[in-house]
Amino acid sequence: MSKITTPNGFTLDNSGRRVAVDPVTRIEGHLRIEVNVDGGNVIRNAVSAGTMWRGLENILQGRDPRDAWAFVQRICGVCTGVHALASVRSVEDALSLPIPDNANLIRNIMHLTLFVHDHLVHFYHLHALDWVDVVSALSASPKATSELAQSISRWPSSSPGYFADVQAKIKRMVSSGQLGPFRNGYWGHPAYKLPAEANLMAVAHYIEALNFQREIVKIQAVFGGKNPHPMWLVGGSPSPINVHGAGGVGAINVERLALVADVAQRTHDFVSQVYIPDLLAIASYYKDWFKLGDGLASKNLMSYGEFPSKANDQSNASLRLPRGVILGGDLSRIHEVDLKDPSQIQEFVPHSWYKYGDEKAGLHPWDGRTDLDFRLGPKTKQSGDKIEALDEEAKYSYVKAPRWKGHAMEVGPLARLVIAYANGDRRIKELVDGALKKLDLPLPALFSTLGRTAARGLETQWAAEQLIGEIGQLVANIKAGNSATANTDKWEPKTWPDTARGAGYCEAPRGALGHWIDIRQGRIANYQCVVPTTWNASPRDGAGAIGAYEASLLGVPMANPSKPLEILRVIHSFDPCLACATHVVGEDGEELTRVQIL
Amino acid sequence: MAATVVLGIGNTLWGDDGFGVAAARRLAARPGLPPQTEVVDGGTQGLYLLPIVQEARNLLVLDCVDFGAAPGAVKTLRDAEIPRFFDRRPLSLHQTAFTDVLFAAELTGAHPERITLIGAQYEDLDRWGGGLTPSLAAALDDVIELALTELHAWSSGNSTREVSSCPTPTPRN
């Protein structure tokens, strides 16, 4: 190959210099990105490879379906709740087991809380340093920083003295050489554009966001019984409601509900007075990044939908974020998604290190297989044991290639917001149009690196508002005397059919997550997960169509290929989480990113 | 949050990587824990463990680590020794090194007064779903005894620094 056009309409040219980044830092799990740049250092070919293998499904076989959530929540470092939720939903779907209203509300509350928490951590602690130069913050004037902060928000921590303290702290840290999480930055890179004061303000809020986690986790602890690793239950929610109880262990009472309502309000204030103003201020200095990194975004977007307003109703009349697919950029039509239709969601492996009986076939997750087949292509460039360049014409990733009706899809907050927008959701339209107006950008600007980052922020605002509403609804239910939280009608396996198959959906913070379960004689016969990062980090499929990461990198210019900050910006905008998409085989301690230019 | 927190970290699906969590669970079931001690299954939550670290006055971390020693060898590190060690490798299979969590705690001005890490040398992290290897399973009791000694020293107000500067790794074959 030198120059080719993919079936999904992208031109790839691998004739230029090859740059390999391994691993991409500040993400969960291991991801390797290789690109070819042309003479002007513009990316013309991209290869996304998960370098860890996942065999999760194989260890669930033969286990009790009611316990599956406790195993699957360990697949990932951070998003434990999403796997647990998809898992209990898959079992409830298989057994046709409805859950009580309160359980639906409690799940919504826990999941909305996770959205806010996860998005906040992503913005400040995983993604902000792609835009914020920590070292530049040292030269800021605390007084000017205070003026800047007060001009964009009424958040109280904004005095010159406050910013001077933060600056002194960073100075001590830099001079002692203990950079901690700031050690891997490309400080001073020409692609950093923020004035020193904006950098200092953002670093101050990085620290405040760290502290704010202490508040947010209280909600998970109340409803999940403990944190981390809250408890889940097939058939409902494990926390009993005991309104007037003085706080029996794990019980939801008046005092705890008041605490939850208070935390939700403060979370809302933090998001609307810190996160959103920071997001808009930073974005205003990087408007060119609303044109870069589109990839599949302006073409194919998918969401399984989330937050049912009515228990057990997964129709779009009930889902607060609708389910659907946008195809070919046509926002006037939302296609229906059915997780159980064997012709819709399928995974392919011609470029993945797995084997199928028929390599050309796509397998629906109910028939899915996870059999390892690690083979490098003949054009792989190696130096000793080290791979210098993968051969993307052969198998090159531990991530499978999932497709919806044969199409590669982007999933995540941008997909959810655009589908809700296209579906006419009033509040989402207000939020999106409002942000675009403030930044003086047209709607298509969303289909970009910063469009993804902005969508995540706006979704956080939306989720914080919904959180307050759901807590109010739960309190109202309880006041009306409804305290049921679990349906135990089908707890005993003897009440189950001999065989049952179910699909559990969940919109994780980073996108569409599905769990498929096949139950036989009360035990798990097969279990498959298709996680959000599998969609976004997908390798090529048999026809050569590329996935979302690969597509989004095309056309992105790099200032200096040996300091691939631009690649980090694009890939981080998806909030990758490879931990559950794949599985480690990397060497221990090999933490430093190698950037190799051939 | 209690004055003293025992934090077991690692992935229970990942062979020996689950050592810290297994040790924490066994410790929590033991009688004789000093009062005001909470045992937490931290999993691989990385930065999400920050609130727990921030609110602990004394922090005891149990984990499987790579000392380059024989499988099952146990080593105790205290305070400043910990970042020096962890800076060289990620938190087990996790990208956020545990030092980043400690560093974040320091950044926010809420840092435990005392931190001890008791780690066991792992043998095999690739036993997906396979549980601990025999050498690591055999190290559990040693680690729990060391943990209890440390916790009681804290609870009686003494730092164990003078008592046992660094329990020697016990190589196993």
Side-chain angles (χ1 to χ4, degrees), chain A residues 123 127-137 187 192-194 198-203 206 282 286 569:
Chain A
F123 180 71
H127 195 30
L129 302 181
D130 300 337
W131 313 97
V132 173
D133 186 335
V134 176
V135 173
S136 148
W187 314 129
Y192 283 115
K193 305 288 185 202
L194 292 184
N199 284 318
L200 178 56
M201 179 181 74
V203 172
Y206 177 108
I282 292 171
Y286 289 105
R569 285 179 176 173

Side-chain angles (χ1 to χ4, degrees), chain B residues 70-148:
Chain B
V74 175
K75 189 164 178 157
T76 305
L77 298 170
R78 293 193 181 85
D79 302 317
E81 298 167 339
I82 297 169
R84 277 204 299 274
F85 176 77
F86 263 121
D87 235 9
R88 282 178 278 131
R89 65 182 297 279
L91 164 61
S92 308
L93 303 166
H94 223 239
Q95 287 288 300
T96 310
F98 194 64
T99 37
D100 285 0
V101 179
L102 298 181
F103 184 87
E106 221 168 284
L107 256 186
T108 60
H111 194 264
E113 288 170 25
R114 294 184 287 205
I115 306 176
T116 296
L117 167 84
I118 303 179
Q121 172 68 45
Y122 61 77
E123 178 175 345
D124 188 356
L125 301 179
D126 287 334
R127 278 158 59 103
W128 185 238
L132 301 179
T133 55
S135 47
L136 269 280
L140 279 171
D141 285 335
D142 286 359
V143 164
I144 284 161
E145 289 313 315
L146 287 171
L148 282 170

Side-chain angles (χ1 to χ4, degrees), chain A residues 1 14-20 32 34-36 45 376-396 594 596-598:
Chain A
M1 161 181 122
N14 71 354
S15 59
R17 283 192 302 164
R18 185 84 154 197
V19 180
R32 176 185 176 101
E34 295 185 17
V35 298
N36 291 87
N45 176 43
L376 291 166
K379 294 181 185 165
T380 306
K381 292 198 177 101
Q382 279 177 289
S383 140
D385 287 346
K386 284 215 163 69
I387 294 171
E388 294 185 331
L390 288 161
D391 175 5
E392 64 267 28
E393 291 172 37
K395 290 179 183 279
Y396 66 89
R594 279 177 84 232
Q596 180 141 24
I597 302 178
L598 296 182

Side-chain angles (χ1 to χ4, degrees), chain B:
Chain B
M1 188 62 67
T4 296
V5 173
V6 182
L7 186 59
I9 51 184
N11 192 332
T12 51
L13 297 181
W14 263 99
D16 288 340
D17 196 56
F19 180 81
V21 172
R25 285 176 181 166
R26 193 180 283 198
L27 181 67
R30 275 279 296 255
L33 280 180
Q36 293 279 299
T37 301
E38 185 170 343
V39 182
V40 177
D41 163 6
T44 50
Q45 295 271 298
L47 204 50
Y48 289 61
L49 296 174
L50 178 63
I52 293 161
V53 171
Q54 284 177 315
E55 291 182 21
R57 198 153 60 92
N58 307 305
L59 179 68
L60 174 59
V61 180
L62 307 177
D63 193 9
C64 84
V65 279
D66 189 2
F67 303 116
V74 175
K75 189 164 178 157
T76 305
L77 298 170
R78 293 193 181 85
D79 302 317
E81 298 167 339
I82 297 169
R84 277 204 299 274
F85 176 77
F86 263 121
D87 235 9
R88 282 178 278 131
R89 65 182 297 279
L91 164 61
S92 308
L93 303 166
H94 223 239
Q95 287 288 300
T96 310
F98 194 64
T99 37
D100 285 0
V101 179
L102 298 181
F103 184 87
E106 221 168 284
L107 256 186
T108 60
H111 194 264
E113 288 170 25
R114 294 184 287 205
I115 306 176
T116 296
L117 167 84
I118 303 179
Q121 172 68 45
Y122 61 77
E123 178 175 345
D124 188 356
L125 301 179
D126 287 334
R127 278 158 59 103
W128 185 238
L132 301 179
T133 55
S135 47
L136 269 280
L140 279 171
D141 285 335
D142 286 359
V143 164
I144 284 161
E145 289 313 315
L146 287 171
L148 282 170
T149 307
E150 192 80 356
L151 293 173
H152 283 290
W154 279 345
S155 122
S156 61
N158 302 321
S159 163
T160 54
R161 223 157 313 208
E162 303 79 34
V163 185
S164 61
S165 61
C166 183
T168 44
T170 37
R172 286 163 195 278
N173 41 12

Side-chain angles (χ1 to χ4, degrees), chain A residues 23-30 52-59 63 70-80 114 117-119 121-122 125-126 169-170 173 178-183 206-208 210-211 213-214 217-218 226-229 510 582-585 588-591, chain B residues 1 7-14 21 25 38 40-56 66 80 83-84 86-111 121-122 125-130:
Chain A
V24 174
T25 50
R26 290 198 298 277
I27 65 168
E28 285 296 317
H30 283 232
M52 307 184 296
W53 174 65
R54 171 177 60 110
L56 165 84
E57 288 93 346
N58 301 342
I59 69 162
R63 294 192 188 273
F71 286 91
V72 296
Q73 76 165 351
R74 300 281 171 164
I75 338 174
C76 172
V78 288
C79 24
T80 59
L114 179 80
H117 187 178
D118 214 64
H119 286 355
V121 168
H122 177 264
H125 307 124
L126 304 176
K169 201 180 267 183
I170 310 293
M173 202 177 73
Q178 289 212 316
L179 280 170
F182 301 148
R183 68 182 175 275
Y206 177 108
I207 297 170
E208 282 190 58
L210 281 174
N211 265 325
Q213 289 194 75
R214 278 161 108 164
V217 295
K218 289 175 184 163
K226 65 190 182 86
N227 189 72
H229 309 116
R510 37 188 71 71
T582 53
H583 174 124
V584 174
V585 287
D588 292 304
E590 195 58 49
E591 175 64 346
Chain B
M1 188 62 67
L7 186 59
I9 51 184
N11 192 332
T12 51
L13 297 181
W14 263 99
V21 172
R25 285 176 181 166
E38 185 170 343
V40 177
D41 163 6
T44 50
Q45 295 271 298
L47 204 50
Y48 289 61
L49 296 174
L50 178 63
I52 293 161
V53 171
Q54 284 177 315
E55 291 182 21
D66 189 2
R84 277 204 299 274
F86 263 121
D87 235 9
R88 282 178 278 131
R89 65 182 297 279
L91 164 61
S92 308
L93 303 166
H94 223 239
Q95 287 288 300
T96 310
F98 194 64
T99 37
D100 285 0
V101 179
L102 298 181
F103 184 87
E106 221 168 284
L107 256 186
T108 60
H111 194 264
Q121 172 68 45
Y122 61 77
L125 301 179
D126 287 334
R127 278 158 59 103
W128 185 238

Side-chain angles (χ1 to χ4, degrees), chain A residues 237-555:
Chain A
S237 154
S239 311
I241 291 171
N242 183 3
V243 188
H244 303 295
V249 176
I252 297 165
N253 59 21
V254 173
E255 182 198 345
R256 287 183 180 144
L257 285 170
L259 168 77
V260 164
D262 180 51
V263 171
Q265 185 58 52
R266 280 184 288 134
T267 300
H268 176 271
D269 295 347
F270 189 83
V271 171
S272 56
Q273 293 177 33
V274 183
Y275 182 2
I276 299 295
D278 281 355
L279 170 69
L280 295 175
I282 292 171
S284 70
Y285 288 95
Y286 289 105
K287 285 199 185 171
D288 46 337
W289 283 91
F290 283 99
K291 294 187 190 117
L292 297 169
D294 166 11
L296 298 181
S298 63
K299 297 182 167 66
N300 300 344
L301 298 170
M302 182 174 76
S303 166
Y304 292 162
E306 192 47 274
F307 305 115
S309 56
K310 274 186 268 174
N312 313 303
D313 183 350
Q314 298 168 24
S315 71
N316 273 353
S318 165
L319 292 169
R320 291 206 167 89
L321 290 173
R323 172 176 297 194
V325 155
I326 290 196
L327 210 53
D330 180 4
L331 299 192
S332 70
R333 184 165 174 212
I334 298 173
H335 299 259
E336 283 182 31
V337 175
D338 181 354
L339 277 70
K340 299 192 213 182
D341 177 348
S343 69
Q344 290 199 12
I345 294 164
Q346 296 180 329
E347 291 189 297
F348 295 83
V349 297
H351 292 282
S352 310
W353 286 313
Y354 301 97
K355 63 171 168 272
Y356 283 177
D358 174 3
E359 285 281 300
K360 286 190 182 140
L363 293 182
H364 182 265
W366 270 333
D367 305 312
R369 303 197 58 80
T370 311
D371 300 328
L372 201 58
D373 183 20
F374 179 76
R375 279 184 286 148
L376 291 166
K379 294 181 185 165
T380 306
K381 292 198 177 101
Q382 279 177 289
S383 140
D385 287 346
K386 284 215 163 69
I387 294 171
E388 294 185 331
L390 288 161
D391 175 5
E392 64 267 28
E393 291 172 37
K395 290 179 183 279
Y396 66 89
S397 177
Y398 282 118
V399 176
K400 294 176 184 173
R403 297 292 183 260
W404 179 80
K405 293 190 176 177
H407 300 282
M409 290 284 150
E410 174 172 334
V411 299
L414 177 64
R416 288 192 289 261
L417 252 61
V418 170
I419 292 165
Y421 190 100
N423 200 41
D425 184 281
R426 195 183 53 82
R427 183 58 185 146
I428 299 277
K429 266 181 85 77
E430 265 174 23
L431 286 168
V432 170
D433 291 339
L436 289 171
K437 193 169 171 224
K438 274 193 188 137
L439 290 165
D440 191 23
L441 291 166
L443 189 65
L446 283 177
F447 307 124
S448 64
T449 301
L450 272 186
R452 261 175 225 113
T453 303
R456 187 171 295 107
L458 298 173
E459 184 176 72
T460 313
Q461 171 79 41
W462 176 89
E465 293 166 3
Q466 293 288 320
L467 181 59
I468 292 171
E470 292 293 84
I471 292 166
Q473 184 60 50
L474 179 64
V475 170
N477 269 13
I478 294 171
K479 277 185 180 157
N482 177 358
S483 62
T485 56
N487 174 358
T488 54
D489 288 354
K490 292 189 183 166
W491 182 251
E492 290 305 325
K494 63 175 186 282
T495 63
W496 304 352
D498 283 349
T499 61
R501 295 201 297 187
Y505 72 99
C506 171
E507 275 295 318
R510 37 188 71 71
L513 168 68
H515 284 203
W516 284 260
I517 190 168
D518 185 357
I519 303 171
R520 298 193 187 175
Q521 280 78 43
R523 295 277 152 178
I524 296 172
N526 195 11
Y527 200 101
Q528 290 280 320
C529 313
V530 182
V531 306
T533 301
T534 314
W535 289 95
N536 288 336
S538 164
R540 287 141 168 87
D541 57 29
I546 59 177
Y549 289 0
E550 294 179 337
S552 65
L553 288 163
L554 301 175

